[in-house]
């Protein structure tokens, strides 16, 4: 193909030029790479911290818009912002805590077809004075019938006060909502951060909603990301679902993903207005467990994220209902270890020592 | 794609019943509350009557994403127009903006809309903007998948110059009849009344309207019906 024939997509667009080539290849019998699907259960819930009183409490006057100060913004939970390179595919050490799989740029690109079927359940508390939002998710990522990742993260950071659960193609979800951008142009969380710098205010959930919605709509459903967006901002707690075609719903409780029907069954029977935080977390956990045990695409552990005004608790692996039952007490032993002959450590950066009191340079 | 995933990957659409009716002094818009993806009800409490301006509302049907985007664009343009004009926009302008977007993007959009509102020059007006982007001013308009069951009903029941209560009862009755017969419509009935005094939103849950032909009383569970009924056929009341 000559350089002239390659069309450069207009800025901001996605080029479908290779579709015909792919079609031609698949007709000739070339196997397309399979998708890594993550069946998931993701949940969210809004709750009320104080016990439901007889008289509905009146809404307090809206607080003045807070100016964003670095000290007041709660730091994002460490797990979601650590950028490490830990591949879960290595043999895990028995007895170690299951840890998050955080991949670097290259690894993410290699796993770009990873699909995350998820169930997102979200629930509200009383609408009159709701205190927060609870998001929940399972942790299984599948590639066809195989579980590719037993403990992946489906609750993504958008802003310190806004989190987003993603179902659908994992690469898309991660790319749309997360820090790593491959085939989509803008990450909403980066956009939100820039917006925060620009306005000097805490991000609002509807901002994130509009950015995600317009992004997904412009790709006409080809970016297969079904999202549950929850957060608490100056206007209160919010919970939204965003479908791959770009439509949104605002509800007190929602489920998404392959296990959504099982989780919705739990929600529809047990949800009521005015749940307290602990009741809410229990209900979310129960609903995710229902998805884990009744849906083949969901499994492993339960992640919960509780967002309240000014505080976010990311309860990674809040419940581990699928422990590894048969663990060899002897542990692993590798035969024929390689003998260490020589150990030499070369620091990559030289430590330079500054000696005070030297003579000044003179001409 | 296995059948269980097929539903969840279907485009989010609103098999719907939407109605707009003029009465003496304003308009009443009515809709059901069901949004489905394939055979699964994604949202049983959706609000299909969205605000464009203080005095103009829009009933949405068809693809949920398309209709939400169209309403967002029109709301934006109408807001600008109101600022430039210096007074509230007329229903006709709102309907024409909806029509321009629908018509010029007809290949890519799949949405049927009903624009209704009140302005001081023409009073209450209803404009239908169905699939291709036609605009048609009507005394009443029906749309969505459930509307097919209502053409005959409206031919008989519609009268010019109804009062507000008569018109609202008509709208609620019509939507509940459509819900009874159309699988893609369901939930409860939302109405929005727009007149010179302002906007009133109402909500009619399932027990607010009577049971139609062959509808059963709502039960807590199938087991109640089976255990209480003495006849051998459980579903015969």
């Amino acid at each position: 193909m000559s350089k002239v024939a390659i069309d450069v997509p207009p800025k901001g667009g996605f080029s479908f030029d290779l579709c015909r080539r792919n079609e031609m290849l698949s007709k000739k019998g070339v196997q397309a790479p399979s998708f890594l699907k993550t069946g998931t259960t993701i949940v969210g819930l809004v709750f009320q911290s104080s016990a439901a009183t007889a008289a509905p409490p009146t809404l307090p006057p809206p607080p003045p818009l807070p100016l964003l100060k670095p000290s007041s913004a709660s730091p994002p939970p460490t797990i979601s912002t650590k950028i490490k390179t830990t591949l879960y595919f290595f043999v895990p050490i028995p007895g170690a805590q299951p840890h998050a799989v955080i991949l670097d740029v290259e690894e993410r690109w290699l796993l770009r077809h990873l699909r995350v079927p998820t169930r997102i359940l979200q629930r509200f508390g009383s609408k009159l004075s709701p205190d927060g939002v609870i998001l929940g998710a399972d942790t299984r990522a599948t590639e066809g019938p195989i579980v590719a990742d037993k403990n992946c993260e489906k609750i993504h950071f958008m802003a310190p006060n806004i989190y987003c659960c993603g179902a659908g193609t994992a690469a898309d979800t991660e790319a749309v909502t997360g820090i790593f951008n491959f085939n989509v142009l803008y990450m909403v969380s980066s956009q939100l951060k820039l917006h925060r710098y620009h306005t000097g205010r805490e991000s609002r959930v509807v901002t994130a909603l509009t950015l995600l919605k317009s992004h997904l709509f412009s790709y006409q459903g080809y970016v297969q990301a079904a999202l549950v967006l929850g957060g608490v901002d100056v206007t209160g707690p919010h919970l939204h679902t965003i479908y791959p075609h770009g439509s949104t719903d605002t509800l007190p409780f929602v489920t998404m993903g392959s296990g959504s029907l099982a989780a919705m069954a739990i929600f529809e029977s047990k949800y009521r207005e005015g749940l307290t935080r602990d009741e809410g977390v229990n209900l979310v956990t129960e609903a995710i467990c229902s998805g884990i045990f009744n849906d083949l695409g969901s499994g492993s552990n339960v992640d919960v994220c509780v967002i309240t005004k000014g505080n976010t608790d990311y309860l990674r692996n809040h419940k581990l209902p699928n422990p590894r039952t048969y663990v060899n007490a002897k542990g692993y032993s590798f035969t024929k270890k390689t003998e260490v002959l020589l150990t030499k450590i070369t620091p990559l950066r030289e430590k330079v020592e500054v000696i005070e009191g030297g003579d000044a340079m003179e001409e | 794609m296995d059948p269980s995933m097929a539903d969840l990957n279907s485009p989010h659409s609103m098999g719907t019943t939407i109605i707009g009716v003029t009465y003496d002094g304003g308009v009443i818009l009515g809709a059901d509350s069901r949004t489905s993806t394939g055979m699964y009800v994604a949202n049983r409490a959706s609000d299909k009557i969205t605000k464009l301006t203080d005095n103009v509302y829009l009933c949405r049907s068809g693809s949920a994403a398309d209709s939400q985007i169209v309403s967002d664009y029109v709301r934006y343009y109408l807001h600008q127009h109101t600022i430039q004009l210096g007074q509230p926009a007329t229903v006709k302008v709102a309907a024409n903006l909806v029509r321009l977007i629908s018509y010029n993007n007809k290949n890519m959009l799949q949405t049927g809309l009903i624009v209704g509102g009140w302005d001081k020059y023409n009073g209450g007006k209803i404009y239908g903007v169905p699939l291709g982007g036609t605009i048609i001013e009507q005394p009443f308009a029906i749309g969505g998948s459930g509307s097919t069951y209502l053409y005959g009903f409206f031919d008989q029941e519609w009268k010019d110059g109804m009062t507000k209560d008569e018109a609202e009862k008509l709208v609620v009755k019509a939507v509940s009849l459509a819900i009874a017969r159309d699988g893609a419509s369901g939930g409860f009935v939302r109405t929005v009344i727009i007149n010179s005094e302002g906007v009133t939103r109402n909500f009619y849950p399932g027990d607010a309207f009577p049971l139609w032909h062959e509808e059963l009383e709502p039960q807590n569970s199938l087991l109640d019906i089976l255990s209480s009924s003495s006849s051998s056929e459980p579903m015969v009341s």
Side-chain angles (χ1 to χ4, degrees):
Chain A
M1 234 199 282
S2 69
K3 277 188 189 170
V4 179
I6 297 172
D7 283 337
V8 177
K11 190 172 178 186
F14 182 84
S15 168
F16 289 96
D17 288 342
L18 293 173
C19 288
R20 259 201 251 158
R21 166 201 171 259
N22 292 340
E23 225 180 85
M24 183 267 296
L25 283 174
S26 61
K27 276 199 194 123
K28 294 207 170 162
V30 174
Q31 289 252 332
S34 62
F35 289 95
L36 266 170
K37 279 190 192 193
T38 58
T40 304
T41 306
I42 32 186
V43 255
L45 179 133
V46 171
F47 64 93
Q48 185 181 19
S49 72
S50 57
T53 51
T58 52
L59 281 170
L65 290 169
L67 287 176
L68 189 71
K69 294 176 203 159
S71 54
S72 66
S74 56
T78 48
I79 290 178
S80 61
T81 56
K82 252 187 239 168
I83 303 175
K84 276 191 187 171
T85 59
T86 319
L87 267 184
Y88 195 72
F89 307 114
F90 295 155
V91 173
I93 301 158
Q97 281 294 309
H99 50 276
V101 182
I102 299 152
L103 308 165
D104 67 5
V105 174
E106 261 196 337
E107 290 157 359
R108 213 68 194 84
W109 174 247
L110 293 169
L111 289 173
R112 63 193 177 280
H113 297 297
L114 191 73
R115 237 186 117 80
V116 185
T118 51
R119 284 197 305 177
I120 314 173
L121 297 173
Q122 302 214 328
R123 293 185 271 178
F124 281 129
S126 159
K127 272 201 162 173
L128 287 172
S129 66
D131 265 0
V133 181
I134 307 178
L135 307 178
D138 76 312
T139 60
R140 172 182 286 185
T142 60
E143 182 175 4
I146 302 166
V147 176
D149 186 353
K150 286 186 272 188
N151 207 2
C152 72
E153 262 182 48
K154 302 186 187 182
I155 307 184
H156 306 287
F157 171 86
M158 298 280 287
N161 57 322
I162 305 172
Y163 274 74
C164 188
C165 305
T169 312
D172 287 340
T173 327
E174 188 72 13
V176 168
T177 64
I179 306 172
F180 304 106
N181 183 13
F182 297 102
N183 51 359
V184 287
L185 298 171
Y186 301 107
M187 287 64 62
V188 178
S189 75
S190 311
Q191 286 178 297
L192 281 177
K193 179 131 198 179
L194 287 170
H195 194 251
R196 277 203 293 285
Y197 282 132
H198 195 75
T199 57
R201 289 176 168 75
E202 198 185 49
S203 294
R204 299 194 187 191
V205 183
V206 284
T207 315
L209 179 75
T210 310
L211 289 167
L212 285 165
K213 164 199 253 224
S214 34
H215 183 95
L216 289 176
F217 182 79
S218 59
Y219 284 95
Q220 287 290 294
Y222 283 99
V223 173
Q224 286 266 314
L227 308 166
V228 168
L229 181 71
V232 179
D233 56 30
V234 283
T235 47
H238 296 275
L239 191 62
H240 303 283
T241 50
I242 309 159
Y243 290 86
H245 286 261
S247 58
T248 60
D249 282 322
T250 308
L251 286 166
F253 57 91
V254 186
T255 70
M256 294 275 264
S258 60
S260 63
L261 271 68
M264 186 51 103
I266 298 288
F267 268 149
E268 284 282 21
S269 52
K270 295 194 179 174
Y271 173 79
R272 56 180 174 80
E273 284 196 356
L275 286 164
T276 63
R277 183 212 157 106
D278 291 327
E279 287 176 340
V281 171
N282 287 338
L283 186 54
V284 165
T285 313
E286 214 182 312
I288 298 278
C289 285
S290 159
I292 287 172
F293 294 121
N294 299 109
D295 172 44
L296 298 177
S298 311
S300 299
N301 317 121
V302 181
D303 284 352
V304 175
C305 182
V306 184
I307 308 170
T308 52
K309 193 168 175 59
N311 183 49
T312 308
D313 287 326
Y314 190 104
L315 309 169
R316 170 73 173 152
N317 289 350
H318 174 70
K319 194 168 179 204
L320 296 110
N322 294 300
R324 191 153 160 242
T325 39
Y326 302 108
V327 182
N328 192 347
K330 280 191 266 179
Y332 292 100
S333 66
F334 297 97
T335 56
K336 274 197 175 180
K337 287 193 188 140
T338 311
E339 225 181 291
V340 177
L341 296 174
L342 168 71
T343 307
K344 183 181 174 190
I345 300 170
T346 312
L348 292 174
R349 272 187 215 166
E350 295 253 342
K351 282 195 179 169
V352 178
E353 293 210 20
V354 179
I355 304 164
E356 293 281 343
D359 288 340
M361 279 190 355
E362 284 179 15
E363 288 200 345
Chain B
M1 194 186 293
D2 51 294
S4 60
M5 285 292 282
D7 280 354
L8 300 163
N9 287 334
S10 304
H12 207 45
S13 85
M14 301 177 294
T16 303
T17 310
I18 49 173
I19 299 179
V21 149
T22 56
Y23 71 92
D24 180 27
V27 298
I28 301 188
L29 301 174
D32 72 313
S33 69
R34 176 174 289 187
T35 310
S36 50
T37 43
M39 283 289 140
Y40 177 66
V41 177
N43 187 353
R44 60 175 169 87
S46 49
D47 184 10
K48 302 180 190 180
I49 311 176
T50 50
K51 176 173 147 166
L52 293 179
T53 68
D54 285 336
N55 55 317
V56 180
Y57 278 66
L58 174 75
C59 292
R60 301 180 288 112
S61 77
S63 155
D66 291 347
S67 64
Q68 279 178 10
I69 291 284
V70 168
S71 80
D72 287 345
Y73 269 101
V74 174
R75 195 178 309 122
Y76 163 70
Y77 288 132
L78 266 182
H79 187 219
Q80 272 191 326
H81 172 74
T82 306
I83 291 170
Q84 290 169 349
L85 195 64
Q87 50 180 320
T90 56
V91 189
K92 191 165 188 180
V93 166
N96 273 292
L97 282 168
V98 173
R99 182 260 304 181
L100 283 169
I101 295 179
S102 279
Y103 179 76
N104 289 324
N105 296 294
K106 63 158 76 189
N107 296 324
M108 291 166 287
L109 292 174
Q110 194 186 43
T111 162
L113 306 159
I114 295 178
V115 184
W118 184 94
D119 59 52
K120 66 181 186 192
Y121 299 106
N122 302 101
K125 284 288 180 200
I126 292 281
Y127 290 87
V129 183
L131 235 52
T134 324
I135 180 171
I136 174 158
E137 202 250 301
Q138 300 167 296
F140 69 90
I142 53 180
S145 60
S147 66
T148 54
Y149 307 102
L150 297 176
Y151 285 101
F153 174 76
F154 268 92
D155 282 345
Q156 186 185 49
E157 294 284 332
W158 164 258
K159 304 194 298 276
D160 222 349
M162 288 187 286
T163 66
K164 183 169 80 154
D165 292 327
E166 280 179 348
E168 193 172 11
K169 283 200 177 64
L170 178 69
V171 166
V172 172
K173 186 173 178 186
V175 179
S176 72
L177 282 168
I179 287 173
R181 285 291 178 179
D182 180 31
S185 304
F188 47 81
V189 182
R190 290 195 197 265
T191 62
V192 173
I193 308 172
I194 312 169
N195 50 31
S196 57
E197 286 137 35
V199 175
T200 315
R201 273 190 168 272
N202 284 326
F203 152 84
Y204 296 88
D207 47 16
F209 27 90
L211 295 172
W212 303 119
H213 179 55
E214 281 183 342
E215 278 191 319
L216 296 174
E217 292 277 343
Q219 303 281 351
N220 273 334
S221 99
L222 188 57
L223 292 173
D224 292 346
I225 308 173
L226 287 169
S227 56
S228 65
S229 127
S230 52
S231 72
S232 56
E233 291 191 70
M235 291 307 265
V236 175
S237 55

